[in-house]
Amino acid sequence: MAKFLAELLGCTLPDKGAPPLFECWSQPHLGLRPSSKQRPTIFGTFSNERALFDNRPDNMPQTPPFTGQLNTSGYNKNLYQTKEEGYPGLFYHDNNLVSGSLEALIHHLLPTVDYYPDRTYIFTFLLSSRLFIHPYELMSKVCHLCMEQQRLGDPQADKLRVRKIAPKIVQLLTEWTETFPYDFRDERMMRSLKELTHRLASGDEVYRKAVSQMSQGLIRRLTVLSQYEEALVKINATAAERLTALKAKPQASIQRDMLSICNDPFTVAQQLTHIELERLSYIGPEEFVQAFVRKDPLDNDKSCFSDHKKASNLEAYVEWFNRLSYLVATEICMPVKKKHRARVIEFFIDVARECFNIGNFNSLMAIISGMNMSPVSRLKKTWSKVKTAKFDILEHQMDPSSNFYNYRTALRGATQRSITANSSREKIVIPFFSLLIKDIYFLNEGCANRLQNGHINFEKFWELAKQVSEFMTWKKVECPFEKDRKILQYLLTAPAFNEDALYLASYESEGPENNMEKDRWKSLRSTLLSRV
């Protein structure tokens, strides 16, 4: 994980010809030319953006105002009231919870007969609490406190009281299992969950049915995750086998490339969007927290994620970005003829433009990154045959200057389009993932987890939850485009060269220009070709 973060968080966007990970080059231009086809784009929506966000529905008292998945305007505020004075150790400012002891925050999570926590609080606390306490320990505490406070294990307990509290506890557990299902890959979590749900289900048929539905949903989600992980292993193995086969018979690749599979940029952009949305959908919100977890200074135990992680979908998604970048570079460097290489470059420029119009910024940046790798950028004779105006405009949109101002403006436009969407295609927002992680990283680094009095800095975690909840909304969008299995298979498993192999292919296409390149070419030929 340390190596992964070092690579990820070091991803700046310097000049053309730099090493690949998430990097691009840019020149200022004025905007993206519209596609010739009538398709929804992210422009034309900025004018109403301020009005939209200025008219957000009110949230509950302890909840800072933010929109997205965790909007609580639909809650029955008489039933789900707050309990600001219900447990000591919580501190508020302007009716917003800003800090508290861990014990007080845990009690604030627990439902009572006349109280149910705000949904935004549930999400924010379950997301951030793992920085201070293992999820299985939190579940154990919740289980113990519920049975102790509500006397769930007492046969003499007030049946009417149990009937009132049981649905709320089931609802809390349901939200936990639906939003953070990967927590329950831990057997200790499952034991506590079974213990509590057994007590709830023993009293009434209605509760047994609700508990059964919750358990079945959790098992289904964990089963789907396992199947996805197995599929990724198979895909990666197939890609490795095809790369090995290509090295053994280099000429075999000439008969098969992206343009021979599909020469329609819009269709390829749609299939890239399928891959992006599928891989996004498996990233759990807690993975953003576990990526940057540090040891809690008040905890003598090891950090909460140092034992083992429950999922690695975030890393798998970053690996997909890198694969796409290297695949684009490979497709450009492999053709023997300069005319063919130029056509491949122009094709991927059009694919990138279609990704932009769809709202798929991650594939857009991966393609730009691939084109800006040194083995590609040095192909001067090839680039002289390329109409680069569209590429320059795309680079302008992803220009890193002013903290990616152009990209962030486009992202806001795509987000607003998604909120007001009239069709499923307009709901798609796939962010430039590296930048999203860097934003969350700097939020984490810029604010302390605890205040000087030892209380948890909950203001920080409201902001963290705001950023992650927006991502949660984006990842739930189902891809509206029809799948093309042949294109998907190619994008996922076609051989993608590493940097050395790309340099060798580049030198074979356009010979070395100076002594340094000549020496490197000879070294690469000696090293790589001797392995064949």
Side-chain angles (χ1 to χ4, degrees), residues 490-529:
Y490 187 85
L491 290 170
L492 290 168
T493 63
F497 289 171
N498 62 21
E499 191 170 2
D500 283 345
L502 283 173
Y503 266 111
L504 180 58
S506 178
Y507 292 141
E508 297 288 344
S509 297
E510 294 186 21
E513 295 184 347
N514 53 52
N515 290 332
M516 186 176 70
E517 287 192 346
K518 288 179 182 178
D519 290 342
R520 185 167 191 181
W521 184 31
K522 291 177 184 177
S523 175
L524 289 172
R525 285 182 64 87
S526 172
T527 304
L528 298 180
L529 297 183

Side-chain angles (χ1 to χ4, degrees), residues 37-274:
K37 299 180 182 179
Q38 293 300 313
R39 305 180 187 123
T41 70
I42 64 173
F43 294 108
T45 58
F46 297 144
S47 58
N48 296 323
E49 180 180 341
R50 183 174 295 278
L52 178 70
F53 285 98
D54 285 347
N55 291 302
R56 290 174 296 193
D58 292 336
N59 292 313
M60 299 182 71
Q62 82 266 28
T63 307
F66 58 85
T67 57
Q69 170 214 4
L70 303 174
N71 191 310
T72 57
S73 59
Y75 275 61
N76 182 328
K77 295 186 180 181
N78 293 320
L79 176 62
Y80 300 118
Q81 57 186 302
T82 62
K83 55 170 185 179
E84 294 188 16
E85 299 177 358
Y87 194 86
L90 298 178
F91 290 86
Y92 293 80
H93 179 70
D94 292 337
N95 286 329
N96 292 332
L97 177 60
V98 295
S99 69
S101 65
L102 179 60
E103 195 68 23
L105 293 169
I106 292 174
H107 276 80
H108 198 54
L109 179 71
L110 300 178
T112 65
V113 171
D114 56 359
Y115 163 78
Y116 188 82
D118 183 318
R119 196 179 179 199
T120 54
Y121 176 77
I122 295 173
F123 177 79
T124 303
F125 182 69
L126 291 180
L127 177 69
S128 58
S129 62
R130 62 199 67 236
L131 292 170
F132 311 99
I133 182 172
H134 290 273
Y136 78 86
E137 292 176 321
L138 177 61
M139 174 58 79
S140 178
K141 278 182 174 288
V142 167
C143 179
H144 172 74
L145 290 171
C146 283
M147 288 192 288
E148 182 183 70
Q149 292 181 359
Q150 307 305 328
R151 300 173 61 196
L152 296 180
D154 186 353
Q156 305 301 319
D158 183 353
K159 299 296 183 184
L160 179 60
R161 179 182 178 85
V162 172
R163 286 195 187 98
K164 287 182 178 180
I165 189 62
K168 295 181 180 179
I169 296 176
V170 172
Q171 175 63 25
L172 175 64
L173 296 176
T174 299
E175 292 200 40
W176 195 336
T177 57
E178 288 180 350
T179 310
F180 299 93
Y182 304 160
D183 285 350
F184 295 86
R185 282 185 143 184
D186 190 322
E187 291 182 2
R188 295 165 294 189
M189 286 285 292
M190 293 300 291
R191 280 199 298 269
S192 294
L193 179 66
K194 288 177 181 178
E195 181 181 0
L196 183 52
T197 53
H198 176 73
R199 299 292 177 89
L200 294 171
S202 61
D204 195 302
E205 177 64 28
V206 175
Y207 308 146
R208 277 197 291 273
K209 185 176 180 180
V211 166
S212 176
Q213 289 176 341
M214 177 191 68
S215 300
Q216 289 173 8
L218 174 60
I219 292 170
R220 184 168 56 251
R221 281 184 284 275
L222 294 179
T223 300
V224 169
L225 173 63
S226 295
Q227 292 171 343
Y228 168 72
E229 290 172 336
E230 291 171 5
L232 281 186
V233 171
K234 291 179 181 178
I235 287 170
N236 293 337
T238 302
E241 289 171 4
R242 292 188 175 180
L243 182 59
T244 301
L246 176 61
K247 289 177 180 178
K249 296 182 179 180
Q251 295 305 312
S253 66
I254 296 175
Q255 302 171 5
R256 188 175 174 84
D257 59 14
M258 185 71 252
L259 284 171
S260 69
I261 300 297
C262 178
N263 60 6
D264 178 20
F266 187 48
T267 301
V268 173
Q270 289 179 331
Q271 301 314 302
L272 287 172
T273 302
H274 263 296

Side-chain angles (χ1 to χ4, degrees), residues 275-475:
I275 296 171
E276 298 279 357
L277 286 174
E278 180 187 51
R279 300 209 172 189
L280 274 184
S281 71
Y282 286 98
I283 298 175
E286 72 280 6
E287 293 190 59
F288 290 99
V289 174
Q290 75 186 34
F292 307 120
V293 72
R294 289 182 174 182
K295 188 178 184 296
D296 183 5
L298 298 187
D299 185 4
N300 293 323
D301 193 9
K302 55 188 176 181
S303 66
C304 295
F305 273 94
S306 58
D307 47 2
H308 62 279
K309 297 187 302 174
K310 307 302 183 292
S312 299
N313 302 304
L314 189 149
E315 291 93 327
Y317 189 51
V318 171
E319 289 170 4
W320 153 249
F321 179 103
N322 290 335
R323 170 180 165 73
L324 179 55
S325 295
Y326 278 96
L327 178 62
V328 169
T330 301
E331 293 282 321
I332 295 170
C333 290
M334 280 301 294
V336 175
K337 294 183 178 180
K338 176 174 56 180
K339 177 175 63 175
H340 191 184
R341 291 195 298 274
R343 194 167 75 222
V344 173
I345 290 174
E346 290 183 341
F347 173 77
F348 277 111
I349 290 172
D350 288 337
V351 172
R353 184 177 66 173
E354 296 297 354
C355 286
F356 182 91
N357 287 332
I358 288 172
N360 180 356
F361 299 104
N362 203 55
S363 289
L364 163 63
M365 183 58 92
I367 293 170
I368 291 175
S369 176
M371 290 186 179
N372 284 329
M373 289 184 188
S374 295
V376 177
S377 64
R378 66 168 297 278
L379 299 172
K380 295 177 182 178
K381 295 177 182 178
T382 302
W383 280 97
S384 70
K385 300 294 183 182
V386 175
K387 298 176 182 177
T388 59
K390 289 184 290 185
F391 185 55
D392 293 338
I393 293 168
L394 288 171
E395 286 193 310
H396 172 64
Q397 294 298 332
M398 305 305 286
D399 187 345
S401 63
S402 301
N403 193 20
F404 287 89
Y405 176 82
N406 294 339
Y407 160 71
R408 293 183 190 277
T409 301
L411 181 65
R412 286 197 299 272
T415 301
Q416 184 183 349
R417 182 186 70 178
S418 177
I419 294 170
T420 59
N422 295 317
S423 70
S424 56
R425 293 188 178 194
E426 295 176 342
K427 292 181 180 179
I428 297 171
V429 182
I430 303 173
F432 173 30
F433 198 64
S434 168
L435 191 59
L436 173 65
I437 295 178
K438 288 184 77 170
D439 287 345
I440 294 174
Y441 172 80
F442 286 120
L443 169 63
N444 184 62
E445 289 297 299
C447 303
N449 288 342
R450 290 186 183 270
L451 304 179
Q452 289 184 342
N453 62 0
H455 280 193
I456 291 172
N457 179 8
F458 218 73
E459 277 189 299
K460 168 182 176 176
F461 296 119
W462 285 130
E463 185 61 32
L464 175 65
K466 175 183 176 181
Q467 293 195 20
V468 175
S469 68
E470 190 169 41
F471 165 81
M472 295 287 285
T473 302
W474 295 334
K475 80 167 195 165

